[in-house]
Amino acid sequence: MTTPRYEKIDASPTKAFFVTMLTRDISLTDTILDLLDNCVDGANRVTRAADSEKPYEGRYAQITFKAGEFMIHDNCGGIPWSLRDYVWRMGRPTNAPEGPERAIGAYGIGMKRALFKLGRHSFITTQNGVDKYEVEITPKWLDRDDGTETWNLQPKASGTGMTEDGTTILVRELRDDAKRAFGLDRQSFETDLTERIAEHYARIIEKGFRVEVNGNPVVGRPVKLLFTNILKPYLYRGAVDGVSVYLAVGLTRPPPTQQELDDEQKMPRFSRREAGWTVICNDRVLVYSDKTELTGWGTGVVPRYHNQFIAIAGLVEFTGAPEMLPMTTTKRGVETTPLFLRVRDRMMEGTKLFTAFTYHWKGRENEVRNLMKDAQPLALPEIKRKAAELRFTKVKLHGGEGSQAIPELPRPAARPTDMRAIHFVKPAAQVETVSRYLFNRADEQPSTVGEECFDRMYGEAKR
């Protein structure tokens, strides 16, 4: 009896399966942000003054797209030839060299996933010092599944040099969703992409990085908190599990009056975008203005988010090795690691402080406005500078240590027991007419209009 001969089994994934699974759960906008992350990581590799206020000054990424193609070009140092076996692999090898200290990418899939999501024909041209080369990913390469050479790419020397070291990625033969987004839906997609970049790269843009979308510069939208001698944010700073942490929570505007809350139910006027918690890892915003249990809302003694808290915002900044940071593989969300949960306790303490402040001043919002009339909205760098004037006390935290500055928020004086509240609703046009009559302007606060009407009538009644 002869023994059967068992041949080696090919268990490698087919490209079609790999590409489909890799791209199915990521949006088109997020794939472009992946490419932008690579630009920033490149800038970090060549940036020497990482501790300066503008470490990215002079670095840029230009994004352009139309119905037939997508392109992103940067001057962020290019892809060193020495990193070829790590940059082009599908995933990050265990022996891959460490990336820049403040890197965003950690998993080695961002660029490849973005190329596969966008289209079937990609051209990557890069220059890093004397290294000037091109890599082409063709439809034929994507469809090939016939042997050991299946995944290999053949670079070639670039025929033209760039004025600065950097990378240009051009994608053609777009997939249907990209073709539609860059064609028929171009205007709305461009608006959405610009808003996402303005939010998620606010810190990086603050630090000097320039991003353009179809020739238009993106203006960052950082969270800003009011800071006065009377009203300061809650601050925490420290190191937990080898990661630097800095958080601040406070008010972005005066708390809304009851009249404003009633009006908001009928026709939203106030932006909810700034309210809630923003989480930053290595300058990159993972979640912007979160109002869920993820950041402590509705957890323990912290109430669920409500429009009454529309003035409360916080931001927490993690800085460290990418693999230590609490971010998901997509970099679009927070992973609730033990590190994050310990820091969230401090976030909740700060949130609770300002929800209580809102409750204490409910019905007396006009008095709060007087307290805040000289308040200046400050972004995180300015808050850190102001923090040098504050008194911090040490706080023990499992896995690290830190210190916090707890503001002494003003409390309203007790109301006389014989006071009564008056609350009523009138058509907006009528309120504007009375406002114009009383104050020579149509946009006075409805509560102020009501109080002035009462005071005048009370004066008449006393005669």
Side-chain angles (χ1 to χ4, degrees), residues 277-347:
W277 276 95
T278 293
V279 181
I280 306 167
C281 285
N282 283 0
D283 293 337
R284 169 73 148 74
V285 172
L286 302 187
V287 295
Y288 187 85
S289 300
D290 181 84
K291 306 170 184 66
T292 70
E293 292 181 4
L294 173 70
T295 53
W297 290 98
T299 302
V301 295
V302 178
R304 290 186 178 277
Y305 178 81
H306 182 274
N307 276 351
Q308 181 179 345
F309 307 130
I310 205 166
I312 301 173
L315 59 162
V316 56
E317 179 183 59
F318 296 90
T319 306
E323 61 273 15
M324 299 297 294
L325 301 178
M327 63 181 178
T328 62
T329 59
T330 62
K331 295 163 286 184
R332 315 294 171 241
V334 172
E335 186 176 353
T336 52
T337 62
L339 161 66
F340 179 76
L341 293 177
R342 287 195 286 273
V343 173
R344 189 175 70 171
D345 289 340
R346 303 269 72 78
M347 296 163 62

Side-chain angles (χ1 to χ4, degrees), residues 252-263:
T252 61
R253 45 149 290 162
T257 65
Q258 185 59 50
Q259 182 67 53
E260 289 172 333
L261 290 174
D262 291 343
D263 291 344

Side-chain angles (χ1 to χ4, degrees), residues 41-63:
D41 280 347
N44 275 315
R45 273 195 296 269
V46 297
T47 296
R48 296 289 178 262
D51 295 330
S52 70
E53 289 193 1
K54 299 280 188 180
Y56 301 115
E57 195 75 65
R59 303 293 173 184
Y60 64 79
Q62 299 167 331
I63 299 168

Side-chain angles (χ1 to χ4, degrees), residues 4 13 25 52 59 62 80 93 120 149 177 224 235 238 245 267 278 306 316 367 406 436 442 453 459 463:
D25 294 326
S52 70
R59 303 293 173 184
Q62 299 167 331
R120 288 174 50 79
E149 301 293 312
D177 53 348
K224 294 186 177 184
L235 303 175
V245 179
M267 183 179 295
T278 293
H306 182 274
V316 56
E367 296 176 52
I406 304 176
R436 193 178 292 107
C453 288
R463 292 178 186 173

Side-chain angles (χ1 to χ4, degrees), residues 134-285:
E134 302 173 359
V135 175
E136 182 180 4
I137 299 176
T138 66
K140 183 178 178 180
W141 183 90
L142 277 173
D143 295 334
R144 184 179 177 187
D145 270 315
D146 58 357
T148 57
E149 301 293 312
T150 293
W151 291 91
N152 289 354
L153 292 166
Q154 180 59 59
K156 64 179 182 180
S158 177
T160 57
M162 299 180 180
T163 56
E164 298 178 276
D165 285 357
T167 301
T168 299
I169 294 175
L170 175 64
V171 184
R172 290 177 175 151
E173 293 196 30
L174 301 179
R175 298 192 184 276
D176 289 344
D177 53 348
K179 197 180 301 182
R180 182 173 56 254
F182 303 159
L184 291 175
D185 299 337
R186 174 173 167 169
Q187 187 171 357
S188 61
F189 182 81
E190 183 178 320
T191 299
D192 177 66
L193 177 64
T194 300
E195 288 181 354
R196 290 284 300 280
I197 293 172
E199 294 171 353
H200 289 264
Y201 293 84
R203 284 287 285 141
I204 293 168
I205 293 171
E206 264 186 319
K207 291 188 171 187
F209 198 82
R210 181 162 52 89
V211 184
E212 293 180 5
V213 176
N214 286 332
N216 300 310
V218 178
V219 179
R221 190 183 290 133
V223 175
K224 294 186 177 184
L225 304 178
L226 298 180
F227 202 117
T228 68
N229 291 330
I230 298 175
L231 198 62
K232 301 178 181 68
Y234 166 89
L235 303 175
Y236 170 85
R237 62 192 183 193
V240 184
D241 294 342
V243 175
S244 295
V245 179
Y246 200 104
L247 74 84
V249 57
L251 301 178
T252 61
R253 45 149 290 162
T257 65
Q258 185 59 50
Q259 182 67 53
E260 289 172 333
L261 290 174
D262 291 343
D263 291 344
E264 190 77 0
Q265 297 295 324
K266 303 170 188 174
M267 183 179 295
R269 294 190 309 156
F270 303 112
S271 173
R272 298 174 74 250
R273 296 184 77 92
E274 288 79 16
W277 276 95
T278 293
V279 181
I280 306 167
C281 285
N282 283 0
D283 293 337
R284 169 73 148 74
V285 172

